[in-house]
C-alpha cells in the first residue's frame, strides 16, 4: 500500500499543468482524470479539443502496471476510443538513413550528396518540387537550429539524421509550452538509462549540438524509446509520440487496433467488444516472435516483463510457437516447453520423457537455427527453403516461429517462381502449398485473432490459399460438386483477404498489396 500511495503521489505531481495554457493547475477533468485545468474558463475553452479524448475510458494506476486506461463503460466493436494529434512527428527514430529534411521521404545514399539542399540549413531535400504531405511548416523551426555549422556539415556530408526527431521534441520547449509539458509527463525510465547503462553509452548526442544539457537530451531519447510509435503515413516511415495513446497498456493479445490519417492523426479503435472495467490494451512488440524473444525485447526497450495470457502459457495457447523438439538419444521427439514460462531462467521439460534442458541450452539451439533461417532467406529458393525447413523440423516444432518464417516465403514461391507456376505444380506440391497455408492461418487465428498486428501476413496466406484452391478445382472439373466447393471456398478466402486490408493507409505496403489483389475479383468471376 505504501508503494501504491507513492506512485499515486508521483503521478499527481506529473499532471500539474493546465492543458489549455500550460500554467500550474490541479483541477482534474472529472470524467477521465487525464488532464488538469487552472480554471473552469480554460476547461470550457479546451473542451473542443479534449472531448475526443474524454469519452469512454479513464486513467488508473496501480503498482503492477503503472498508468493504464480502463473502459468506464462498454465499448463496442470498431468504436473509436482515442483520436489525437501527435505531440511530435518526425523521421524514424533511431535511424541513420538519409531523408529529405522537408517532406521526410527516404533518400538514396547517392541522392543525399547532390546539390538539392535546403537553401538555409543546407540539409538534403528531394529537389525543387519537394512537397510535404504532413505539415507545411514541419521543417521551419528546426531549420533555424540546423543552419548553425551547416556549411561544414554539408561539406563533409556529416548529417546526423538520428538527431532530427529528438530536436523536434526539444524545440517544443520554446515553441509550444503545452506540448512540451505533456511530453515531459511521459515515462523515460531514466532509472534504467543512467551513465553506467549501455543505452547511455550508445547515445552520442551530447546536448551541445542543441545548446541544452545532456540530461535533457537523454530524457528525450528515453521518452522516444519508451513511448514512440512507428507510423506509416502517406508512404512514409515515421516516428510519432501521442500523449494519451502512450498510456495504453501492453498485451500480446491486444483489444484495440490503430489507424493513422494522412497527417499523422491517430485513431485507436476497439477490435472487439470491451466491457466496463476492462483494461484497454495495445501491443509494443512483434507478434511473430516467440515468448522468450518478445519478453526480452519488452524488458530491454520498455523496462517491464510481460505476464499476459500468451506469455504465461508454455505452449503459447496451443500453437507450439516456441516449442523445441526433444532429441534424447535421437528418438524421443517429444515437445520441450518451459516449466515456468514467466521465469527466463526456467528449465524446459519434455512431455514424453524425463529430460530437462537449461534455458542457456535453449538459447544456443535458437542461435544456431536462426543462422540457418537467415542464410536460407538471404537468397531464397524453393530448394534452399525446403532444405532449411527439413533441418529445422528435427530440432523445433513445425509450428515454431522460425519455421513460420520459412513457410511464409515458401507459399509465395510455390505458384510464382520459374518452373513452379501453379499450373506446373504436381498435385502433391499443390496440396503441400494448401497445407502450409492452413497451418499458418491456424496459428495466426490464435496469436492475432482480431487481425490487429498481422494483417498483411493473414492476407497473403488467404490469397495464396485461394490461388491453390482455384488450380485444384480446375483439375477436378469433372467432379462438379467437389470442384464447386473448392471454388466457393476460394471466393470466400479472396473476399476475406481483401477485407483484412481495407483500412490500410494509402501508400503503405498493405495498401499496395490490396491494389495488387483487387483484379483477382474479376478473374474469379
Amino acid at each position: 500500500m505504501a508503494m501504491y500511495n507513492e506512485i499515486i503521489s508521483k503521478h499527481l505531481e506529473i499532471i500539474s499543468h493546465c492543458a489549455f495554457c500550460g500554467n500550474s493547475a490541479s483541477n482534474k477533468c472529472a470524467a477521465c482524470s487525464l488532464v488538469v485545468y487552472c480554471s473552469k474558463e480554460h476547461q470550457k475553452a479546451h473542451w473542443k479539443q479534449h472531448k475526443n479524448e474524454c469519452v469512454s475510458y479513464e486513467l488508473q494506476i496501480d503498482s503492477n502496471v503503472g498508468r493504464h486506461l480502463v473502459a468506464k463503460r462498454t465499448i463496442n466493436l470498431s468504436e473509436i476510443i482515442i483520436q489525437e494529434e501527435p505531440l511530435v512527428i518526425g523521421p524514424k527514430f533511431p535511424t541513420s538513413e538519409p531523408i529529405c529534411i522537408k517532406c521526410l521521404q527516404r533518400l538514396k545514399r547517392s541522392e543525399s550528396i547532390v546539390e538539392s539542399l535546403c537553401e538555409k540549413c543546407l540539409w538534403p531535400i528531394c529537389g525543387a518540387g519537394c512537397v510535404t504531405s504532413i505539415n507545411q511548416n514541419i521543417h521551419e523551426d528546426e531549420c533555424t537550429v540546423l543552419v548553425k555549422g551547416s556549411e561544414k556539415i554539408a561539406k563533409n556530408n556529416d548529417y546526423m539524421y538520428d538527431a532530427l526527431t529528438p530536436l523536434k521534441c526539444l524545440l517544443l520547449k520554446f515553441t509550444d509550452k503545452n506540448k512540451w509539458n505533456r511530453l515531459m509527463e511521459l515515462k523515460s525510465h531514466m532509472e534504467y538509462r543512467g551513465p553506467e547503462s549501455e543505452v547511455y553509452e550508445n547515445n552520442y548526442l551530447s546536448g551541445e549540438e542543441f545548446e541544452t544539457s545532456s540530461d535533457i537530451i537523454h530524457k528525450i531519447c528515453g521518452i522516444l524509446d519508451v513511448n514512440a510509435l512507428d507510423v506509416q503515413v502517406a508512404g512514409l516511415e515515421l516516428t510519432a509520440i501521442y500523449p494519451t495513446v502512450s498510456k495504453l497498456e501492453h498485451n500480446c493479445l491486444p483489444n484495440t487496433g490503430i489507424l493513422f490519417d494522412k497527417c499523422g492523426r491517430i485513431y485507436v479503435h476497439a477490435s472487439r467488444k470491451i466491457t466496463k472495467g476492462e483494461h484497454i490494451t495495445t501491443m509494443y512488440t512483434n507478434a511473430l516472435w516467440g515468448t522468450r524473444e518478445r519478453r526480452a525485447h519488452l524488458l530491454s526497450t520498455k523496462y517491464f516483463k510481460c505476464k499476459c495470457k500468451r506469455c504465461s502459457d508454455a505452449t503459447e495457447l496451443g500453437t507450439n510457437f516456441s516449442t523445441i523438439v526433444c532429441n534424447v538419444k535421437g528418438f524421443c521427439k517429444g515437445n520441450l516447453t518451459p516449466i515456468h514460462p514467466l521465469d527466463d531462467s526456467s528449465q524446459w521439460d519434455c512431455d514424453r520423457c524425463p529430460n530437462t534442458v537449461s534455458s542457456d541450452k535453449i538459447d544456443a539451439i535458437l542461435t544456431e537455427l536462426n543462422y540457418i533461417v537467415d542464410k536460407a532467406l538471404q537468397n531464397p529458393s524453393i530448394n534452399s527453403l525446403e532444405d532449411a525447413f527439413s533441418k529445422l523440423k528435427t530440432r523445433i516444432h513445425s509450428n515454431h516461429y522460425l519455421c513460420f518464417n520459412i513457410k511464409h516465403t515458401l507459399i509465395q514461391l510455390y505458384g510464382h517462381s520459374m518452373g513452379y507456376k501453379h499450373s506446373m505444380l504436381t498435385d502433391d506440391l499443390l496440396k503441400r502449398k494448401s497445407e502450409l497455408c492452413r497451418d499458418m492461418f491456424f496459428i495466426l487465428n490464435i496469436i492475432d485473432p482480431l487481425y490487429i498486428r498481422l494483417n498483411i501476413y493473414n492476407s497473403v496466406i488467404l490469397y495464396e490459399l485461394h490461388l491453390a484452391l482455384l488450380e485444384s478445382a480446375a483439375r477436378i472439373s469433372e467432379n462438379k460438386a467437389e470442384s464447386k466447393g473448392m471454388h466457393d471456398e476460394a471466393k470466400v478466402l479472396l473476399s476475406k483477404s481483401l477485407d483484412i486490408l481495407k483500412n490500410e493507409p494509402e501508400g503503405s505496403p498493405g495498401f499496395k498489396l490490396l491494389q495488387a489483389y483487387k483484379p483477382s475479383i474479376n478473374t474469379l468471376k
Side-chain angles (χ1 to χ4, degrees):
M1 182 59 71
M3 181 180 294
Y4 175 83
N5 290 334
E6 181 181 350
I7 294 173
I8 290 290
S9 297
K10 287 183 178 180
H11 173 64
L12 292 177
E13 289 173 7
I14 290 172
I15 302 180
S16 58
H17 299 281
C18 177
F20 183 73
C21 69
N23 291 327
S24 295
S26 59
N27 299 315
K28 292 192 296 181
C29 171
C32 65
S33 300
L34 288 172
V35 294
V36 295
Y37 298 97
C38 62
S39 66
K40 289 185 177 180
E41 289 75 15
H42 280 190
Q43 183 172 12
K44 290 179 181 178
H46 191 247
W47 175 244
K48 185 176 181 181
Q49 177 183 343
H50 180 55
K51 66 180 180 181
N52 291 325
E53 304 171 358
C54 185
V55 280
S56 58
Y57 57 87
E58 62 183 357
L59 180 67
Q60 292 188 5
I61 188 166
D62 66 34
S63 57
N64 291 320
V65 298
R67 292 182 294 180
H68 58 282
L69 303 184
V70 174
K72 62 180 183 182
R73 60 168 173 78
T74 297
I75 303 174
N76 295 316
L77 172 66
S78 299
E79 183 178 338
I80 298 295
I81 303 171
I82 304 168
Q83 52 176 311
E84 61 182 351
E85 303 287 346
L87 292 176
V88 174
I89 189 165
K92 196 168 184 179
F93 177 84
T95 183
S96 58
E97 290 296 320
I99 56 100
C100 170
I101 197 74
K102 289 188 175 181
C103 72
L104 305 183
Q105 290 279 1
R106 181 176 293 182
L107 299 174
K108 295 179 180 178
R109 285 286 177 180
S110 58
E111 292 175 339
S112 65
I113 309 177
V114 299
E115 295 180 358
S116 297
L117 303 173
C118 172
E119 62 277 10
K120 294 181 180 179
C121 68
L122 304 182
W123 276 60
I125 61 173
C126 293
C130 174
V131 178
T132 180
S133 57
I134 301 172
N135 181 344
Q136 294 297 323
N137 302 316
I138 196 166
H139 177 53
E140 189 174 301
D141 293 328
E142 67 195 28
C143 190
T144 60
V145 177
L146 296 176
V147 72
K148 300 174 183 178
S150 57
E151 292 185 4
K152 181 180 179 180
I153 292 173
K155 182 179 179 180
N156 298 325
N157 193 34
D158 188 23
Y159 299 104
M160 296 174 61
Y161 291 100
D162 269 348
L164 291 177
T165 300
L167 174 58
K168 290 177 184 292
C169 292
L170 179 63
L171 287 172
L172 292 178
K173 184 177 182 180
F174 311 100
T175 61
D176 194 320
K177 184 178 179 181
N178 182 32
K179 283 188 175 181
W180 172 254
N181 287 333
R182 299 190 79 181
L183 181 70
M184 290 295 101
E185 290 172 2
L186 301 177
K187 291 286 187 182
S188 63
H189 285 296
M190 291 305 295
E191 65 271 26
Y192 303 113
R193 302 171 61 90
E196 303 301 321
S197 67
E198 182 179 350
V199 68
Y200 190 96
E201 295 296 330
N202 290 339
N203 182 12
Y204 58 84
L205 302 177
S206 65
E208 295 178 3
E209 305 90 337
F210 310 134
E211 298 182 1
T212 190
S213 71
S214 61
D215 289 343
I216 288 292
I217 296 300
H218 279 290
K219 182 171 183 178
I220 287 174
C221 290
I223 289 172
L224 282 166
D225 283 342
V226 174
N227 300 279
L229 296 180
D230 291 334
V231 180
Q232 289 191 339
V233 177
L236 304 175
E237 293 185 2
L238 307 174
T239 285
I241 291 183
Y242 300 88
T244 308
V245 175
S246 296
K247 297 178 177 69
L248 286 175
E249 179 185 343
H250 164 82
N251 194 299
C252 293
L253 295 169
N255 54 23
T256 65
I258 291 175
L259 298 171
F260 303 94
D261 68 15
K262 62 182 180 180
C263 296
R265 186 177 182 83
I266 194 171
Y267 298 84
V268 179
H269 59 92
S271 294
R272 60 169 173 78
K273 185 178 179 180
I274 302 174
T275 59
K276 181 179 179 180
E278 187 177 351
H279 290 207
I280 302 172
T281 59
T282 187
M283 191 173 192
Y284 295 147
T285 189
N286 192 331
L288 285 179
W289 289 343
T291 293
R292 200 166 180 78
E293 291 65 35
R294 293 193 315 279
R295 298 185 80 238
H297 172 252
L298 290 169
L299 183 60
S300 64
T301 60
K302 309 299 182 182
Y303 307 103
F304 71 88
K305 293 184 177 182
C306 184
K307 299 178 182 179
C308 74
K309 181 179 178 181
R310 180 180 170 188
C311 288
S312 301
D313 190 306
T315 65
E316 299 206 38
L317 307 177
T319 63
N320 288 300
F321 208 52
S322 296
T323 299
I324 307 293
V325 171
C326 178
N327 279 310
V328 169
K329 297 182 181 179
F331 63 82
C332 175
K333 305 305 177 186
N335 292 326
L336 286 168
T337 54
I339 299 172
H340 305 292
L342 298 182
D343 179 0
D344 298 333
S345 60
S346 169
Q347 293 275 322
W348 291 45
D349 65 352
C350 178
D351 62 357
R352 288 189 183 179
C353 75
N355 182 38
T356 59
V357 176
S358 70
S359 58
D360 289 341
K361 177 63 175 178
I362 296 297
D363 287 338
I365 292 172
L366 292 176
T367 299
E368 178 186 346
L369 298 185
N370 262 300
Y371 174 78
I372 294 175
V373 173
D374 290 343
K375 185 177 180 180
L377 293 176
Q378 282 178 359
N379 188 22
S381 68
I382 287 177
N383 288 335
S384 66
L385 291 174
E386 288 288 13
D387 180 59
F389 189 36
S390 295
K391 293 177 180 177
L392 292 178
K393 287 192 299 182
T394 65
R395 310 287 299 280
I396 55 180
H397 196 282
S398 60
N399 283 355
H400 195 278
Y401 67 89
L402 290 176
C403 292
F404 189 99
N405 294 339
I406 295 291
K407 291 178 184 178
H408 198 262
T409 306
L410 267 176
I411 65 167
Q412 295 173 82
L413 293 180
Y414 279 127
H416 304 284
S417 297
M418 186 71 67
Y420 288 92
K421 303 296 183 182
H422 284 106
S423 60
M424 303 170 67
L425 294 178
T426 64
D427 289 344
D428 285 343
L429 287 181
L430 202 57
K431 181 180 178 181
R432 172 158 176 71
K433 173 170 180 169
S434 296
E435 289 176 345
L436 290 175
C437 289
R438 295 187 190 280
D439 287 347
M440 286 188 290
F441 192 58
F442 161 77
I443 294 172
L444 294 187
N445 264 297
I446 294 175
I447 65 175
D448 188 34
L450 305 175
Y451 307 113
I452 296 172
R453 300 286 294 187
L454 304 173
N455 304 29
I456 293 179
Y457 284 91
N458 271 299
S459 183
V460 168
I461 290 168
L462 295 178
Y463 184 80
E464 293 298 332
L465 180 55
H466 118 273
L467 291 177
L469 287 175
L470 287 180
E471 178 63 29
S472 297
R475 295 184 185 185
I476 58 168
S477 56
E478 69 282 356
N479 187 335
K480 292 184 178 180
E482 188 174 354
S483 178
K484 183 178 183 303
M486 288 184 176
H487 192 277
D488 289 345
E489 184 183 1
K491 185 176 180 180
V492 171
L493 294 174
L494 176 59
S495 177
K496 184 67 175 178
S497 175
L498 299 177
D499 187 63
I500 288 172
L501 299 175
K502 67 181 180 182
N503 291 321
E504 291 292 313
E506 187 173 348
S508 69
F511 179 84
K512 294 175 182 177
L513 193 65
L514 177 62
Q515 305 314 307
Y517 284 176
K518 276 183 176 179
S520 297
I521 297 174
N522 295 327
T523 303
L524 189 59
K525 289 179 180 179

